């Protein structure tokens, strides 16, 4: 679904991504890993078109998108949840969600789809509250909800569990798993709340959301993702199925 080949990116003179390659197959939940400062966020912003790449190709569903604007990429079906959430603290929850619609004016979607509220009931309860009054976990749900309003085919999340309470972390994990995986393919012991389960299975059947996420918490990454790609100093250095992520790689590339 997403094919990145030989991408090079610079901030001014500073060469940040080096001949980077990454393939995210349709239906996958891919975790991009690596220590702080290796270029994970830079890669996600390059995929979204928020920063330009110097060379290489980014292809989404067989279309070259490397020079498309961010709105065009959103219209094609890429949803983005930025690191640090970037919700608008003075706008209400509803206004924040509607900003998600504006990310792709040509999409034809005029209204926040009901399933967003079914997945995150707290957003419905807090519709008229200001974004800044929400807890960290609620803000993260809002940021994910905002990306889901356009029914993305590929959902990109940058450190969705950063600075969030453990109980909300596992709830967010459940939502990502359900958005990504078809019914009956969840890991053993996984059973989300019934109403959330229904809403997500519906979206899942309609959309089949492919996921690319950055995550530093290893147990969370192992639980939600089925593939990994590790970056070091702007390069992709190891990748494979999550079951192949071994202690050597963890020690060499991930532990601080
Ligand atoms: N806007 C920017 N201008 C210049 N350098 C940047 C900018 N954003 C990030 N960097 C640098 O690029 C490198 C990669 O950063 P980033 O992609 O944020 O890493 P990660 O998300 O893996 O922690 C770091 O060395 C960082 O200091
Ligand atoms: Mg980052």
């Amino acid at each position: 679904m997403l094919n990145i080949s030989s991408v090079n990116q610079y901030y001014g003179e500073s060469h940040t991504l080096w001949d980077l390659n990454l393939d995210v197959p349709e239906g996958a939940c891919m975790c991009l890993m690596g220590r702080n400062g290796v270029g994970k966020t830079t890669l996600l912003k390059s995929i979204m078109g928020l920063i330009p790449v110097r060379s290489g190709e980014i292809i989404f569903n067989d279309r070259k998108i490397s020079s498309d604007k961010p709105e065009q990429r959103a219209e094609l079906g890429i949803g983005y949840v930025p690191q640090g959430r970037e919700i608008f603290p003075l706008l209400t929850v509803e206004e924040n969600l509607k900003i998600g619609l504006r990310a792709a004016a040509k999409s034809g979607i005029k209204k926040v789809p009901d399933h967003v509220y079914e997945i995150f009931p707290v957003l419905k309860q807090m519709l008229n509250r200001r974004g800044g009054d929400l807890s960290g976990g609620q803000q993260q749900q809002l940021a994910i909800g905002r990306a889901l309003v356009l029914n993305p085919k590929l959902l990109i999340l940058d450190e969705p569990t950063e600075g969030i309470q453990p109980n909300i972390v596992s709830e967010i994990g459940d939502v990502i798993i359900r958005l990504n995986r078809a019914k009956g393919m969840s890991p053993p012991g996984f059973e989300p709340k019934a109403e959330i389960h229904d809403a997500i299975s519906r979206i899942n059947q309609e959309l089949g959301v492919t996921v690319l996420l950055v995550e530093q918490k290893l147990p969370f990454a192992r639980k939600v993702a089925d593939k990994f790609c590790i970056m070091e100093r702007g390069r992709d250095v190891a990748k494979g199925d999550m079951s192949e992520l071994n202690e050597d790689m963890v020690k060499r590339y991930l532990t601080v």
Side-chain angles (χ1 to χ4, degrees), residues 11 14 16 34-43 45 83 158-159 216:
Y11 290 113
S14 166
T16 306
R35 296 187 179 98
N36 280 331
V38 297
K40 304 178 299 294
T41 296
T42 300
L43 177 58
K45 286 185 177 170
Q83 186 167 17
D158 197 347
E159 306 217 21
Q216 307 250 19

Side-chain angles (χ1 to χ4, degrees), residues 1-4 57-66:
M1 175 175 262
L2 179 72
N3 312 97
I4 296 165
E57 299 258 43
I58 301 175
I59 294 169
F60 179 64
N61 281 337
D62 301 322
R63 171 182 163 147
K64 199 180 152 197
I65 59 165
S66 326

Side-chain angles (χ1 to χ4, degrees), residues 62-249:
D62 301 322
R63 171 182 163 147
K64 199 180 152 197
I65 59 165
S66 326
S67 44
D68 288 344
K69 295 195 176 70
E71 306 86 81
Q72 292 171 299
R73 303 188 203 205
E75 276 157 25
L76 289 170
I78 308 181
Y80 177 58
V81 183
Q83 186 167 17
R85 313 186 254 283
E86 297 182 15
I87 61 145
F88 297 91
L90 298 180
L91 299 185
T92 65
V93 166
E94 188 171 24
E95 288 162 344
N96 269 282
L97 290 170
K98 284 184 173 161
I99 287 196
L101 295 172
R102 253 194 268 160
K106 285 194 211 135
S107 67
I109 303 173
K110 297 268 185 285
K111 173 179 171 291
V112 176
D114 289 340
H115 56 237
V116 171
Y117 299 119
E118 291 169 42
I119 296 167
F120 298 118
V122 70
L123 298 183
K124 182 133 208 174
Q125 290 156 23
M126 299 202 147
L127 219 48
N128 299 314
R129 298 279 284 278
R130 286 186 181 189
D133 294 339
L134 272 54
S135 71
Q138 291 164 344
Q139 290 186 6
Q140 187 58 263
Q141 298 181 50
L142 176 56
I144 299 172
R146 182 179 59 188
L148 290 177
V149 298
L150 293 169
N151 295 333
K153 297 183 183 74
L154 171 66
L155 181 63
I156 295 178
L157 305 119
D158 197 347
E159 306 217 21
T161 69
E162 203 180 19
I164 284 177
Q165 293 175 341
N167 60 323
I168 306 289
V169 167
S170 69
E171 230 175 83
I172 285 172
D174 291 350
V175 166
I176 295 170
I177 289 171
R178 268 294 159 193
L179 284 169
N180 173 244
R181 276 171 229 181
K183 234 175 175 171
M185 285 181 59
S186 303
F190 171 77
E191 209 37 72
K193 289 187 204 130
E195 65 277 14
I196 297 180
H197 176 108
D198 288 352
I200 298 178
S201 333
R202 219 175 315 134
I203 299 194
N204 195 304
Q205 278 159 15
E206 281 163 26
L207 302 164
V209 186
T210 303
V211 175
L212 171 60
L213 88 154
V214 169
E215 181 54 54
Q216 307 250 19
K217 292 186 184 73
L218 202 50
F220 184 92
R222 286 196 201 273
K223 184 179 155 201
V224 305
D226 54 14
K227 293 188 175 295
F228 72 92
C229 171
I230 298 177
M231 288 178 64
E232 187 166 74
R233 283 188 240 157
R235 300 173 190 270
D236 53 295
V237 291
K239 48 185 81 154
D241 290 340
M242 197 44 100
S243 57
E244 296 165 340
L245 178 64
N246 60 40
E247 279 314 304
D248 276 356
M249 295 174 192

